[in-house]
Amino acid sequence: MATACPPLSLPPAYLPRRSTRADPARRALPSVRCSAVGEVVAETAAVGTAEEPLLVSAIKGRKVERPPVWLMRQAGRYMKSYQLLCERHPSFRERSENVDLVVEISLQPWKVFKPDGVILFSDILTPLPGMNIPFDIVKGKGPVIFDPLRTAAAVNEVREFVPEEWVPYVGQALNLLREEVNNEAAVLGFVGAPFTLASYCVEGGSSKNFSKIKKMAFSEPEILHNLLQKFTTSMANYIKYQADNGAQAVQIFDSWATELSPVDFEEFSLPYLKQIVDSVKETHPELPLILYASGSGGLLERLPLTGVDVVSLDWTVDMAEGRKRLGSNIAVQGNVDPGVLFGSKEFISKRIHDTVQKAGNSGHVLNLGHGIKVGTPEENVAHFFEVAKGIRY
């Protein structure tokens, strides 16, 4: 049936403003939906409780007034404040392993943009030293694994990760972030997925063709399965540790799983992701888990089989088509092209509204389809958040 008004938003003058501080009880704001021509129906929509931020409410399928919004890599090199901090602390390892610096960097975008998710500033490789895998992140080169894992003997030396012993600063930082954010946003943790971590460790760092890990997968699969199992057990424990220290949702990054064919994804990634989810849900059944795999269009129908609560889409998948392919029982995140943030403010607004309209009014977390790119104008990021937070279903 035709509608008499736009499906997503009203002019700014008519939009109710959300307080930047969480109320002590669930608060309802007036919202408007369109029905038959000429008919405007008033509704109310929850924006969260003192116990449950908007982002968590949306993921759990509750009725919300607008999609929550945060951006991958929202703390990082595009921000002038981060650049100045890097001048004083040039080592990435220092910035990501010092409690005070982790908290300061994590809060930089929060203080400026007030996103609905505040993600811990860290790296998916942070657990590696605690697993007996030395590494560093070299400026201009990226991650470097000093002793790549390419033999059964090397994999046997990998030990189970005990976060309490090796990354106590992560737990301390998460607790401090919860205190600082005070449930006005959800505090997010994250981990790397087993296949992606294994890819770094076997390749020795980043890779373009992944020939070394594929050689292992296709000629000595038992060695790779042994390594993947070690990462699976360790990352499940790491997620639980983050949740116990304040993370209200955790994102799993399987950045390199999409280098696998569907049949190989089903052997070398999917069962290990499912193990992680099953293990976490046994002890933390209410913790939302988000899965992001860049370039996952060819694997999309398989991603919900992991059991995660949210699939984060990259920008190469049309949001409406992605929703249809994933099914109605899972939330989605994304998926504006990060390059859009180099466009005009009008163009940015258009793409935001297009994405939100295609995602529908339930179970959607607005985000980019990848991390913010270096050189993105801060004022365009500010505009993204302003437009996103002004939307009303």
Side-chain angles (χ1 to χ4, degrees), residues 52-53 55-57 59-60 62 174 178 186-191 235-252 276-291 306-310:
E52 186 174 85
L55 184 144
V56 176
S57 294
I59 290 175
K60 292 183 176 180
R62 309 198 201 287
L174 286 167
R178 281 293 300 272
V187 171
L188 306 174
F190 70 92
V191 302
M235 291 309 104
N237 290 337
Y238 194 25
I239 291 174
K240 296 172 186 179
Y241 172 78
Q242 292 184 28
D244 289 341
N245 283 278
Q248 294 162 291
V250 175
Q251 180 154 309
I252 304 169
I276 290 174
V277 174
D278 289 347
S279 177
V280 172
K281 292 297 184 179
E282 282 183 10
T283 56
H284 299 72
E286 297 301 314
L287 178 71
L289 296 176
I290 307 166
L291 175 61
T306 61
V308 295
D309 303 284
V310 187

Side-chain angles (χ1 to χ4, degrees), residues 40-266:
V40 179
V41 181
E43 294 184 329
T44 59
V47 297
T49 70
E51 295 77 27
E52 186 174 85
L54 177 66
L55 184 144
V56 176
S57 294
I59 290 175
K60 292 183 176 180
R62 309 198 201 287
K63 188 174 181 61
V64 293
E65 63 173 3
R66 63 171 176 84
V69 56
W70 71 281
L71 303 180
M72 287 183 275
R73 293 184 185 165
Q74 64 188 14
R77 290 174 290 175
Y78 74 99
M79 293 191 76
K80 182 65 175 176
S81 57
Y82 181 77
Q83 296 166 15
L84 293 172
L85 186 145
C86 290
E87 292 176 4
R88 304 192 305 273
H89 305 279
S91 166
F92 180 87
R93 290 285 301 273
E94 179 193 7
R95 295 193 298 273
S96 61
E97 297 177 14
N98 175 287
V99 175
D100 293 337
L101 293 179
V102 169
V103 172
E104 180 180 351
I105 295 168
S106 302
L107 290 175
Q108 284 178 343
W110 163 251
K111 292 177 178 178
V112 178
F113 308 122
K114 286 293 188 290
D116 296 302
V118 174
I119 191 164
L120 175 78
F121 182 78
S122 186
D123 193 87
I124 63 170
L125 303 184
T126 293
L128 293 189
M131 300 183 71
N132 198 29
I133 308 172
F135 88 102
D136 202 358
I137 296 180
V138 179
K139 185 175 181 180
K141 189 174 182 179
V144 176
I145 308 299
F146 296 127
D147 298 302
L149 307 177
R150 295 173 185 164
T151 65
V155 170
N156 287 337
E157 293 299 313
V158 175
R159 58 177 172 246
E160 185 175 321
F161 180 56
V162 182
E164 295 86 351
E165 295 179 8
W166 285 92
V167 292
Y169 52 86
V170 167
Q172 295 164 20
L174 286 167
N175 276 287
L176 290 169
L177 289 173
R178 281 293 300 272
E179 292 177 14
E180 181 71 25
V181 174
N182 195 30
N183 262 16
E184 295 172 39
V187 171
L188 306 174
F190 70 92
V191 302
F195 182 80
T196 290
L197 294 174
S199 295
Y200 279 111
C201 294
V202 174
E203 295 289 338
S206 300
S207 178
K208 291 184 178 179
N209 53 29
F210 297 87
S211 59
K212 295 179 179 65
I213 192 166
K214 288 191 176 183
K215 178 183 177 182
M216 180 181 287
F218 303 148
S219 65
E220 299 177 296
E222 67 282 355
I223 298 177
L224 181 54
H225 281 300
N226 185 19
L227 180 59
L228 291 169
Q229 188 58 59
K230 292 188 176 195
F231 280 129
T232 297
T233 302
S234 294
M235 291 309 104
N237 290 337
Y238 194 25
I239 291 174
K240 296 172 186 179
Y241 172 78
Q242 292 184 28
D244 289 341
N245 283 278
Q248 294 162 291
V250 175
Q251 180 154 309
I252 304 169
F253 286 89
D254 207 353
S255 309
W256 304 131
T258 52
E259 293 294 326
L260 294 168
S261 68
V263 67
D264 295 320
F265 175 80
E266 290 176 354

